[in-house]
Amino acid sequence: MLRLFRKCRQLFEHNRTSASIGFVLLLAAMGFFALHRLLLEVHLHDLRAALHALQPWQIGTALGLTAASYLLLTLYDVLALRIIGKPLPWRTAALASFTSYTLSHNLGLALLTGGSARYRVYSASGLEGADIVRIIATASMTFWSGVIVMAATALAIHPASIALGPVLVPMGLQRLFGLGVLAVAAWLLVKARKPGQSLRIFGWALPLPSAGQAVSQICVAGLDLAVASAALYVLVPGVGIQMFPLFFLGYALAIIVALVTHVPGGIGVFEAVMIATLPNVDKSALLAALVAYRAIYYLLPLVVAAVLLAVHEHRQWRGPLGSALQLSQSVFSGIAPMLLAALTFVGGAILLVSGSLPAIPYRLHALRHIVPLPFVEASHIAASLTGTGLLLLAPGLYKRLDGAFILTRLVLLAGAAFSLAKGIDYEEAVVLMLIAGLLQWSRKSFYRHTAFTMRSFSAGWIVAVAVAVGLSLWIGIFSYKHVDFQTDLWWQFAWKGDASRFLRASFGAAVMLIAAIVIRFGNPAAQRVSLEEARLPDEQAAFADNDRTDAMLAWTGDKRFLRSASGNAFLMYQVQSHSWIVMGDPVGPRSEWPDLLWRIRERADAAQGRLLLYQITTEALPIAIDLGLQLVKYGEEARVDLASFTLDGPDAKSLRHAERRAVRDGAEFAIVPAADVPGIGPELRAISDGWLRAKGQSEKAFSVGRFEPSYIYRFDCAVVRQNGKIVAFANIWATKNRNELSIDLMRHAEDMPYGTMDFLFTHLMEWGREQGYRWFTLGIAPLSGIEARRLAPIWARASAFLYRHGDSFYGFEGLRAYKDKFAPVWEPRYIAGLHGVGLARALIDLQTLVGGGRGSAALQRKLSLVA
């Protein structure tokens, strides 16, 4: 039984992505089915009549309330920034909030789309990744506090007739439940009187707001939800003010269900819950209000954001609007692909929905005098296929692929032509032409020189595309519920054959979507890495202008390499078990980093592996966020500014003392050129072997070098001699542009003089300053600076525990204190990996790899055989 359970668990883990997609699509299908059952008595002509009955004052009021809601949404970020102690100007929070919520409202995928937009804005304002995660979590806490408190207040003051299936919930029980929730909220407010507290739930630590901040959170979120629900409320005719409490309860419940199910945009689910909770409201009028609300509250802000963004690319704004948009150009170029991807996705959905609706009779009548029927039939199918193509191309735009940009531009223009040819749908043609214009205007944002492939899809995008196609199918079924669907309907070609055209177009769109899914998931075999990928040429152009010495890890012989198309950049990685582990930042021009990291992500996905970026700097964080990875601070790197390094002053007292003791005991410092290192190789080997025995360690790999002649003899070596005998050594890493100097292996004899290592460091730094180097790197203090990080799930803490107490290369205790003696500048380093347990498992594989695990050892054996 246990073996069967393990087998099932392995099967689920192996197909976790497919299972997740299937589950969300099942929930979406259930939402569409429920919506279909609730609207059995409503027909398309009823919906059209209700839409035409909407008054201008209703539209205008809904627009005003929508603007007020988005204005209140900006206060979520303002409060979050204050709670975490990182206040920024309102215009920065407003831009982050507006773009984030605009994207997540329309596409769902909140962490991928909205989180990425927030990261672009806040990182440009100087915030670190951990702070941005706190902002997202605190803003989410603000939303949920408002939903819960407002819903509880409505239940306590004005309970309504709520039925759970055949059971009617007593009003007294509703009032009691509402009062209980309010009592708990009041108790939490009392507990929040002490500042600086944190709330720990299942291993998570979140900053608690003060009592005043908590009240502000509840008020802002409550007011926002009230205004947002009122924007829908005013669109429903004949609903008195006395019904607003029940209406708000239905709205809050619909929002919660939509978020819990993870259906993109809550399509179908939100509408079904609203109609189910308001049985006494005219269904056709409520459905018309929901359709108008989608256009006003969801689509219109997306269009506004995209237009503002595109215009900003080419002109300077003046006045109040310009003040609100004054951020660096890199922020806008980073957000542009996200907004345009969302807009392209919406354009594709519009084409699909149009293909599911009957043509406007007088337009079709005019068209029959211009083109023959077969041309219209073909254009109708082509328009639906074009819409599906736009859905499939949108993820490529999000990933900034120039191939996706070129294809999308062509498909948009084709879609506009097909819209005119199938029924003179000039509204759709104008929308598609505008999207194409905005895309062309922002063409510089699509810089990844690679072809668009089906591997650019993630699970979230597949779900979004499938839900959009499902929506078009449901709309077609709703529109033609009066039609008796029969087999021969497929083959009927007539000017009034709208239902037949819907069936054929829907079938083509479904086939196209299924083909895309099969291509995405049908060939997941792991990729074999050739020997060419395991070799690094002796002369690599990427080293010429490299600023970091950790690029020298390329010569350790235990890594694979992924090169850019130009050959001027590469990244180092290794595969351990199912983890694809990248060592540090890519090496080479930063303009080529995104393409390299996206390519390694796609390779890992194709092999069903886990991607882990190890020891990346802040310069790589925006790309890691775009990849959808979670950030964990690994530690801090100590970098000494050689221009200001000195042994003078009280802070350097311990260094002066150690240096003098070493000199008194006969220590002498020297730099041995790489050409002369083989001559002292046996002596260095003896010291290295003795050091390993004394420490009870074995050679490590991947993130550090090992004592191998092919590696050690490549570099200059710093040595300390006593009476002519070498007692300590360190191989020297140095960049060609003299930006940075560092060491890798640092080993010594047991009988070395007191202060020998301090003596070696100080003299090496002074030598580096004389040679014109700018920085000296003392290496990373693992786990340093992590204590202040409030958001750390329990599995990440457990992984950190493995690093602290596992079989590591260094003893971390006291390491930061030792490096602090040299007055360094501390710069953070991060790990980026998959969300959840996948990150912890990748860290365990990393520990194995650094310990000389299977991946590095197998590659070294392979290379030795070739050599």
Side-chain angles (χ1 to χ4, degrees):
M1 189 68 181
L2 183 60
R3 182 179 299 177
L4 179 62
F5 172 77
R6 290 176 178 173
K7 188 69 175 177
C8 292
R9 186 182 66 179
Q10 292 175 357
L11 183 64
F12 172 77
E13 291 180 353
H14 187 70
N15 298 280
R16 178 176 298 177
T17 302
S18 301
S20 300
I21 291 175
F23 182 69
V24 175
L25 291 181
L26 176 62
L27 293 176
M30 292 172 62
F32 287 132
F33 178 76
L35 197 58
H36 176 73
R37 298 292 298 176
L38 290 168
L39 298 174
L40 280 177
E41 299 178 358
V42 180
H43 294 80
L44 181 61
H45 59 83
D46 300 323
L47 175 60
R48 284 178 170 170
L51 284 171
H52 287 121
L54 289 174
Q55 300 297 315
W57 72 266
Q58 292 177 289
I59 303 296
T61 305
L63 287 170
L65 291 170
T66 296
S69 175
Y70 275 86
L71 183 63
L72 287 168
L73 283 174
T74 65
L75 299 182
Y76 283 41
D77 284 47
V78 171
L79 285 172
L81 287 163
R82 293 180 178 177
I83 290 171
I84 71 169
K86 303 284 185 178
L88 291 174
W90 175 82
R91 62 177 180 269
T92 303
L95 179 61
S97 172
F98 181 62
T99 54
S100 173
Y101 286 116
T102 298
L103 288 167
S104 58
H105 281 166
N106 284 277
L107 292 179
L109 314 175
L111 288 177
L112 180 63
T113 56
S116 183
R118 272 194 173 101
Y119 189 89
R120 288 283 180 176
V121 176
Y122 287 132
S123 61
S125 300
L127 296 187
E128 295 185 0
D131 291 327
I132 299 170
V133 174
R134 292 174 192 153
I135 293 171
I136 296 172
T138 306
S140 178
M141 184 171 61
T142 301
F143 166 79
W144 285 108
S145 65
V147 170
I148 293 171
V149 170
M150 288 294 290
T153 303
L155 285 173
I157 297 177
H158 197 291
S161 298
I162 299 178
L164 297 176
V167 180
L168 188 67
V169 180
M171 291 189 178
L173 182 61
Q174 295 180 43
R175 182 174 281 112
L176 181 63
F177 179 78
L179 291 172
V181 172
L182 292 176
V184 172
W187 176 76
L188 290 174
L189 287 175
V190 173
K191 295 285 289 183
R193 288 181 301 174
K194 297 180 180 179
Q197 298 184 91
S198 61
L199 177 65
R200 298 180 180 275
I201 304 176
F202 301 113
W204 286 79
L206 296 174
L208 274 178
S210 65
Q213 290 172 333
V215 171
S216 299
Q217 284 181 294
I218 294 172
C219 292
V220 167
L223 187 58
D224 165 54
L225 288 167
V227 171
S229 61
L232 173 60
Y233 181 78
V234 297
L235 294 171
V236 184
V239 180
I241 191 65
Q242 71 279 359
M243 283 195 63
F244 185 73
L246 176 60
F247 190 92
F248 178 81
L249 275 177
Y251 183 86
L253 180 60
I255 290 287
I256 293 172
V257 173
L259 290 174
V260 170
T261 57
H262 294 287
V263 175
I267 293 291
V269 176
F270 176 82
E271 287 78 6
V273 174
M274 284 298 302
I275 295 174
T277 54
L278 299 170
N280 297 323
V281 179
D282 181 71
K283 287 183 172 57
S284 58
L286 182 55
L287 180 60
L290 288 167
V291 171
Y293 181 74
R294 282 280 180 184
I296 293 172
Y297 195 86
Y298 287 75
L299 299 182
L300 183 60
L302 177 63
V303 174
V304 171
V307 171
L308 290 177
L309 186 63
V311 173
H312 181 276
E313 295 278 342
H314 289 271
R315 63 177 298 181
Q316 294 294 323
W317 289 90
R318 297 179 180 178
L321 183 59
S323 177
L325 292 176
Q326 290 307 309
L327 280 180
S328 65
Q329 186 71 18
S330 62
V331 175
F332 290 94
S333 62
I335 299 175
M338 307 176 200
L339 288 173
L340 290 171
L343 208 56
T344 299
F345 190 92
V346 170
I350 289 174
L351 280 176
L352 285 175
V353 170
S354 175
S356 300
L357 292 171
I360 299 176
Y362 76 88
R363 294 185 184 178
L364 196 62
H365 180 74
L367 191 63
R368 67 188 303 172
H369 298 291
I370 303 173
V371 296
L373 177 61
F375 188 84
V376 174
E377 296 283 1
S379 298
H380 192 279
I381 294 178
S384 294
L385 294 177
T386 299
T388 308
L390 290 176
L391 300 181
L392 298 175
L393 285 167
L397 293 179
Y398 176 82
K399 294 184 176 183
R400 299 163 176 80
L401 303 180
D402 60 349
F405 164 76
I406 295 171
L407 284 175
T408 303
R409 187 175 52 184
L410 293 175
V411 172
L412 284 168
L413 297 176
F418 293 139
S419 296
L420 295 173
K422 74 182 180 68
I424 317 181
D425 295 326
Y426 60 85
E427 300 92 344
E428 300 165 20
V430 169
V431 170
L432 296 176
M433 292 292 290
L434 287 175
I435 297 174
L438 293 174
L439 191 65
Q440 178 65 25
W441 217 340
S442 303
R443 61 187 179 276
K444 293 180 181 179
S445 299
F446 304 94
Y447 50 80
R448 292 189 61 209
H449 301 297
T450 182
F452 174 76
T453 67
M454 290 302 167
R455 286 178 183 168
S456 64
F457 289 103
S458 65
W461 280 107
I462 286 290
V463 169
V465 172
V467 169
V469 174
L471 173 65
S472 68
L473 289 173
W474 177 84
I475 289 176
I477 294 172
F478 171 78
S479 301
Y480 303 109
K481 62 174 62 176
H482 63 283
V483 175
D484 182 18
F485 286 93
Q486 298 177 354
T487 304
D488 59 352
L489 201 63
W490 291 88
W491 318 114
Q492 292 181 7
F493 298 90
W495 286 103
K496 294 184 178 181
D498 290 318
S500 298
R501 282 190 283 271
F502 155 68
L503 287 177
R504 290 188 290 269
S506 298
F507 178 76
V511 169
M512 189 173 181
L513 176 60
I514 293 172
I517 295 175
V518 169
I519 294 174
R520 170 62 178 84
F521 294 103
N523 186 26
Q527 299 184 13
R528 296 184 179 273
V529 183
S530 66
L531 279 175
E532 179 61 26
E533 291 173 312
R535 296 181 188 273
L536 183 70
D538 291 338
E539 297 294 332
Q540 177 60 253
F543 283 110
D545 296 320
N546 178 58
D547 290 332
R548 295 280 188 170
T549 51
D550 52 13
M552 305 304 155
L553 285 170
W555 305 112
T556 56
D558 57 4
K559 296 174 184 65
R560 295 165 175 160
F561 303 96
L562 183 63
R563 299 174 179 81
S564 65
S566 67
N568 295 328
F570 68 91
L571 59 76
M572 301 174 275
Y573 75 101
Q574 186 53 271
V575 179
Q576 178 68 40
S577 185
H578 294 290
S579 298
W580 290 55
I581 303 170
V582 176
M583 183 65 227
D585 294 347
V587 180
R590 284 163 179 75
S591 61
E592 302 195 29
W593 289 12
D595 182 59
L596 285 170
L597 290 172
W598 276 109
R599 284 168 58 194
I600 197 68
R601 173 63 191 267
E602 291 165 359
R603 288 192 177 198
D605 287 347
Q608 294 187 345
R610 300 179 290 267
L611 180 63
L612 182 74
L613 308 183
Y614 180 48
Q615 295 188 16
I616 60 174
T617 67
T618 54
E619 294 176 338
L621 290 187
I623 310 172
I625 290 291
D626 288 343
L627 293 174
L629 303 179
Q630 178 167 343
L631 301 176
V632 176
K633 188 174 181 181
Y634 171 69
E636 293 180 307
E637 183 182 35
R639 306 184 74 208
V640 179
D641 186 353
L642 293 179
S644 59
F645 175 72
T646 179
L647 292 179
D648 299 330
D651 293 339
K653 181 179 179 180
S654 62
L655 291 178
R656 289 196 304 272
H657 174 69
E659 199 267 346
R660 290 168 182 169
R661 281 282 305 271
V663 171
R664 189 167 61 245
D665 291 341
E668 296 177 348
F669 175 82
I671 300 292
V672 180
D676 298 333
V677 172
I680 61 173
E683 198 171 357
L684 299 183
R685 168 68 78 177
I687 293 175
S688 178
D689 292 345
W691 184 87
L692 290 172
R693 286 194 300 270
K695 298 293 183 180
Q697 296 281 351
S698 59
E699 293 283 9
K700 304 305 177 186
F702 194 66
S703 62
V704 292
R706 52 195 297 135
F707 196 96
E708 293 287 346
S710 59
Y711 172 69
I712 291 294
Y713 297 169
R714 180 180 291 275
F715 305 102
D716 295 342
C717 189
V719 299
V720 176
R721 290 186 173 94
Q722 183 184 31
N723 300 324
K725 177 185 176 182
I726 297 178
V727 294
F729 74 92
N731 63 312
I732 300 174
W733 285 350
T735 60
K736 292 183 178 180
N737 61 6
R738 296 185 183 272
N739 181 72
E740 190 173 278
L741 187 70
S742 183
I743 63 172
D744 180 28
L745 294 184
M746 180 182 63
R747 297 178 179 179
H748 57 79
E750 291 189 63
D751 57 348
M752 67 176 180
Y754 173 85
T756 294
M757 302 317 297
D758 288 349
F759 175 80
L760 186 150
F761 275 124
T762 55
H763 279 268
L764 185 55
M765 291 181 193
E766 291 175 341
W767 175 83
R769 182 175 55 201
E770 294 171 0
Q771 297 297 317
Y773 289 94
R774 182 182 177 187
W775 295 96
F776 185 88
T777 300
L778 290 164
I780 297 176
L783 310 179
S784 175
I786 294 182
E787 301 305 326
R789 177 170 52 87
R790 297 177 184 269
L791 296 178
I794 189 169
W795 45 264
R797 296 177 185 270
S799 300
F801 180 85
L802 288 174
Y803 274 91
R804 188 185 296 272
H805 300 288
D807 181 24
S808 302
F809 183 68
Y810 296 106
F812 297 142
E813 295 298 329
L815 185 58
R816 181 186 175 102
Y818 175 79
K819 295 180 179 182
D820 258 334
K821 296 190 301 182
F822 298 90
V825 176
W826 291 97
E827 295 185 359
R829 289 291 188 108
Y830 297 88
I831 291 174
L834 300 179
H835 293 262
V837 181
L839 177 57
R841 295 181 64 181
L843 289 174
I844 293 173
D845 288 338
L846 172 63
Q847 182 74 4
T848 304
L849 186 62
V850 172
R854 296 183 298 274
S856 58
L859 183 61
Q860 287 175 340
R861 288 194 299 270
K862 194 173 184 180
L863 290 176
S864 64
L865 289 174
V866 174

